Amino acid sequence: MGNVIKVGMADLNICKSPDIITTLGLGSCIGLTFYDPVTKVGGMVHYMLPDSTKVRNNGNIAKFADTGIEQLLKKVIAAGASRQRLVAKMAGGAKMFEVNGLSDIGNIGARNAEAAREMLKKMHIRLIAEDTGLNYGRTVELHCETGEFYIKSIGKPVKII
């Protein structure tokens, strides 16, 4: 059993087999992973917002889908992953608050998930599994030995995608 590498909110990191990388309490945030099944190199970004271009002074690149996913790609490749073999999985993007009307706040989870799909399409990286939406939080783990993505939610069975 390897080490457990924790990724905080608006944070990213990489891992190699036999390590596990995890992030806690994804609500409307997305936990997106890249994984190379041959080198068993993976990485995860826990981002909060879909688009860094809408915010001034965005010093934290891991806070946004566009800059966070791009940075994660650079890091996993630098750690020995092959861009051609990379696969992506993601979880989160829940609608955590009931908001009246068509407020952007209530919809941020869906927009976060959509931002990831757009980025991956642009990068030509396959999204092979996701567990997004609905109205509950998730804690996720990527097991770099197997590429399995564990999703844990209070009161629900563990899901492996």
Side-chain angles (χ1 to χ4, degrees):
M1 195 63 175
N3 297 319
V4 175
I5 297 161
K6 290 190 168 54
V7 173
M9 187 183 266
D11 187 16
L12 58 84
N13 211 330
I14 56 166
C15 71
K16 294 179 181 174
S17 173
D19 294 347
I20 291 169
I21 192 165
T22 184
T23 193
L24 309 174
L26 292 168
S28 58
C29 297
I30 292 282
L32 179 128
T33 62
F34 284 147
Y35 182 69
D36 176 340
V38 176
T39 58
K40 298 186 189 300
V41 168
M44 182 185 293
V45 59
H46 176 155
Y47 66 84
M48 300 163 69
L49 295 167
D51 185 359
S52 66
T53 62
K54 303 275 191 282
V55 182
R56 271 199 298 267
N57 306 328
N58 49 13
N60 182 349
I61 53 178
K63 192 173 185 177
F64 306 94
D66 54 352
T67 49
I69 293 171
E70 225 161 66
Q71 182 65 18
L72 182 63
L73 179 64
K74 283 184 191 136
K75 279 192 172 284
V76 292
I77 288 171
S82 153
R83 190 185 171 123
Q84 283 66 44
R85 287 191 303 257
L86 279 183
V87 290
K89 295 181 181 181
M90 70 171 169
K95 187 171 186 167
M96 297 305 285
F97 314 100
E98 273 314 313
V99 181
N100 295 333
L102 296 171
S103 155
D104 268 355
I105 306 284
N107 196 22
I108 193 80
R111 286 175 41 231
N112 274 338
E114 192 45 46
R117 290 186 202 102
E118 282 170 24
M119 281 297 294
L120 293 170
K121 204 173 285 171
K122 235 188 275 178
M123 296 169 144
H124 304 291
I125 294 171
R126 287 179 311 139
L127 178 65
I128 58 169
E130 66 174 286
D131 182 42
T132 56
L134 302 173
N135 62 348
Y136 54 85
R138 296 163 173 91
T139 289
V140 296
E141 296 173 352
L142 175 67
H143 290 238
C144 283
E145 179 56 38
T146 60
E148 291 176 326
F149 195 37
Y150 287 67
I151 297 151
K152 301 171 180 178
S153 303
I154 294 167
K156 301 190 182 326
V158 174
K159 202 188 253 188
I160 302 175
I161 60 172

